Structure formats: structure tokens, C-alpha cells
Amino acid sequence: MEYRKLGDTDLELSAITYGAFAIGGTMWGGNEKKDSIEAIHASLDHGISTLDTAPFYGFGLSEELIGEALKGKQRDKVQILNKFGLVWDGSNQGKGEHFFDMEENGKPVSIYKYASKENIIKEVEESLKRLNTDYIDLLQQHWPDSTTPISETMEAMETLIQQGKIRAAAVSNYSLDQLKEATQTFTPASNQVYYSMLNREIEKELVPYTINNKIGIIVYSPMERGLLSGKYFLQEKLKSTDHRNGYFSQFDLEKVKTLLANISPIAEEKNVSLAQLVLRWTTMQKGITVVLAGARNAEQAISNAAAMSFDLDTAELELIQSELDKI
């Protein structure tokens, strides 16, 4: 495994970071607790020292699973990346920006973006209890909240650093303009953003800015929620409650299928899976600090970690680029 410094902080994160969205179950059709715990343990055992979660993932369940999985582990050997700012239980008393509505266990739930100082402090205290820890390594604003000044959010996170409750503060899903505004108050350690072979928009302006300002980039959805693994072209069935049934429809699936077929010889030559090839390619892109990869069980976690066990040479990277240019 390779470990990388995050922005201008003293945090050293594993290049492949465990993404804990799926184990929370929300929007993913559920997951077995035993499998989730084993996935976390397998990640740690194979060099993935960094875990990324959020209160929204399973409405606290993902955090609780991480807290349980880390019992008996050396806390200073693990980096917990957490978030705040998605409120679902009505405790925001109608404040914040309405995001979307969904169902959980057959009941309607409204999700709000809410990043006031008061809410941040509240969420962090709740997260610390669920995670069974007394500090969070990196706290990230999950989504921008148009009803709260960015300066207020940045000031609150800076206060939490001073209190020792978090080691570093960051943002997620910020546009370039929002990131620039944030730095007027406090420079975030990183910006967690959507990036994959099929969506490289951040390369144009965001990545150059973060490089020049020593801000890290944490990437989510590098596998496009499993699409780039290729297995869904083998008629694998998704549960009816799995959000990916609709998510995959945004892509030209025939072009994606052709892309994977044309780069698969590289994977075969290296005796790795398509998923591992895609993950490794993502870690090698300019300005990318770490890449999130979810795993529902130990086998998937071990496979993700192994994505760092090989390299891609210039010719291989150029071949992949030529195929991506056709998308």
C-alpha cells in the first residue's frame, strides 16, 4: 500500500481508502453486519488504514459498524474520515436547504443540507459516540448548504480543531468558486469529489487549483458504483431497492462495455481484475490524493487493497487514454 500526505496537514492516508457508504445499507439494498465488520478488518489487515464514512450512511449505522470494528485496534494506526451536514431526523427544525426525499424502511424521509455552527457541533458529538472514539482525523462538510455562510462553517471546523475533536477539516462536493470562498476564512485540507473514467470534469479547473494551493483531492465513485468492474454486463441482478438500477441509465452502456473490453487486455496481462485496473489508474491521475473504494465483504476489501500491488507504464496509460477519448 502507498500512503499519501493530505494537503497541508500531517495526515498520511492510504491511497486506497475504504468507503463505508454501502455497508450503511441506505440506498444500497442493505448489507449483513458480519460481512461489513469483516470487510473493515480485511481492509486494515491489507494496508488500507483509512476509513471514510458519514452519519447519513445508514442513518448512523455505518459509523456504528466502524466503531465496533475498531474495538481492540490501535486507534492511532487508523484514520477516520467523517462528514456532517446531511440532516434527516427533523432536528434541524426546518432549517437548512432541502436536498431530496426518500424512503427508509417504508417510511418517507426528507434530507436537508445543514451546516450551521450549532449543527456541526451537535453532529460531531453524536458521531464521536457512534464511532466510539474521542477524535475524528478528518471532518468534511458533506454538501454545500446555501442557507449557511461558508465562513460560519469554516470557523466552526477551525474551532473543533482547536478543541482537539478533529485533526483536520475539509469539504466535499464543493465547486471551484465555493472552495475559493472557503479559503478566505480557512483553507480546507481537501475536497472530496466525484471522479471516474467516465466523469473527469474536475481535471479542467478544480485539480489545477488544488495542486497550486496544497489542497488534497479525495475521489468517490471511481468505479461508478460497480459499473466499471464489468460484472453488470454479465447479467448480474440488482435488488429492486438498489439505487443503481436508475443510476446506470445515465451512461451510454454500449460505449462503456466497449471501453472495458478494449482495456481488459492490460488487466489480463497483469493478472488483475478490471476493477483493480480502474482503481489503480485513478490513483495515478494528477492531483488525486486518495481514492475511495467500497467493499461489502472481506473478499472485495482484499481485492481493493491489491489494486496498489502493480503499476501502469506510460504506454499502458496512453492506451487507456486513447480509449477514454472515444467515450
Side-chain angles (χ1 to χ4, degrees):
M1 182 56 60
E2 182 181 327
Y3 301 91
R4 300 176 176 178
K5 185 175 183 291
L6 183 68
D8 202 23
T9 74
D10 61 358
L11 292 178
E12 294 279 342
L13 311 182
S14 53
I16 298 292
T17 287
Y18 181 80
F21 187 5
I23 64 169
T26 302
M27 301 172 66
W28 289 84
N31 203 55
E32 293 294 329
K33 177 180 178 179
K34 179 176 179 292
D35 290 342
S36 299
I37 297 292
E38 289 178 351
I40 297 169
H41 287 166
S43 296
L44 298 174
D45 291 342
H46 288 80
I48 296 178
S49 63
T50 312
L51 312 175
D52 179 271
T53 187
F56 173 68
Y57 301 161
F59 301 108
L61 177 58
S62 177
E63 292 174 306
E64 291 172 356
L65 289 169
I66 287 175
E68 184 170 339
L70 294 184
K71 287 180 180 177
K73 304 290 185 180
Q74 284 186 267
R75 176 66 182 85
D76 61 352
K77 301 296 184 184
V78 180
Q79 303 84 48
I80 297 176
L81 315 186
N82 205 9
K83 306 180 187 76
F84 68 86
L86 287 191
V87 177
W88 66 88
D89 60 5
S91 62
N92 60 327
Q93 297 179 331
K95 299 177 182 177
E97 175 187 349
H98 181 261
F99 195 10
F100 63 92
D101 296 315
M102 61 176 289
E103 280 194 7
E104 181 70 7
N105 298 321
K107 297 180 180 180
V109 181
S110 293
I111 310 299
Y112 286 79
K113 302 173 186 176
Y114 188 40
S116 71
K117 178 179 180 180
E118 178 184 19
N119 185 63
I120 295 169
I121 293 172
K122 172 181 175 293
E123 285 202 55
V124 167
E125 291 301 327
E126 293 170 346
S127 290
L128 290 173
K129 291 178 182 178
R130 287 191 290 259
L131 290 163
N132 193 33
T133 187
D134 56 4
Y135 70 93
I136 292 166
D137 295 276
L138 182 72
L139 181 68
Q140 306 159 95
Q141 180 179 359
H142 206 150
W143 284 88
D145 164 25
S146 63
T147 69
T148 302
I150 287 177
S151 59
E152 178 181 337
T153 303
M154 295 302 109
E155 288 169 359
M157 289 199 286
E158 189 170 21
T159 297
L160 288 167
I161 291 175
Q162 295 168 353
Q163 294 174 345
K165 294 186 177 179
I166 65 175
R167 292 177 63 192
V171 295
S172 182
N173 298 301
Y174 262 43
S175 67
L176 177 57
D177 287 343
Q178 289 167 332
L179 191 58
K180 287 180 177 179
E181 183 178 343
T183 60
Q184 294 175 16
T185 304
F186 173 82
T187 300
S190 56
N191 189 10
Q192 183 175 141
V193 289
Y194 169 32
Y195 177 75
S196 77
M197 284 184 168
L198 305 181
N199 187 335
R200 302 171 64 186
E201 186 67 24
I202 66 169
E203 293 177 355
K204 297 177 183 177
E205 296 182 336
L206 184 63
V207 167
Y209 177 82
T210 57
I211 291 173
N212 290 336
N213 290 274
K214 295 183 179 180
I215 297 172
I217 289 286
I218 298 174
V219 168
Y220 69 80
S221 292
M223 297 302 304
E224 289 296 357
R225 310 188 191 190
L227 180 63
L228 291 175
S229 70
K231 62 184 180 180
Y232 296 107
F233 294 109
L234 301 176
Q235 297 183 335
E236 178 163 319
K237 299 292 184 181
L238 296 173
K239 292 183 179 180
S240 61
T241 54
D242 197 314
H243 74 287
R244 290 174 292 178
N245 286 297
Y247 183 82
F248 291 162
S249 65
Q250 70 181 287
F251 303 108
D252 185 327
L253 295 180
E254 282 303 313
K255 284 187 176 181
V256 175
K257 186 176 182 180
T258 299
L259 164 69
L260 297 178
N262 290 343
I263 67 174
S264 63
I266 299 175
E268 292 167 5
E269 174 69 22
K270 296 180 180 296
N271 196 31
V272 300
S273 68
L274 264 175
Q276 290 168 327
L277 175 64
V278 171
L279 283 177
R280 186 63 177 123
W281 175 89
T282 310
T283 67
M284 296 179 71
Q285 299 313 294
K286 187 176 182 180
I288 305 304
T289 311
V290 301
V291 177
L292 302 188
R296 290 172 175 257
N297 54 50
E299 181 181 5
Q300 292 176 358
I302 293 169
S303 175
N304 289 342
M308 294 302 294
S309 65
F310 64 96
D311 287 313
L312 296 171
D313 62 29
T314 301
E316 291 163 339
L317 290 170
E318 289 177 348
L319 188 155
I320 293 172
Q321 182 59 54
S322 69
E323 293 300 327
L324 291 177
D325 289 341
K326 301 174 185 177
I327 296 293

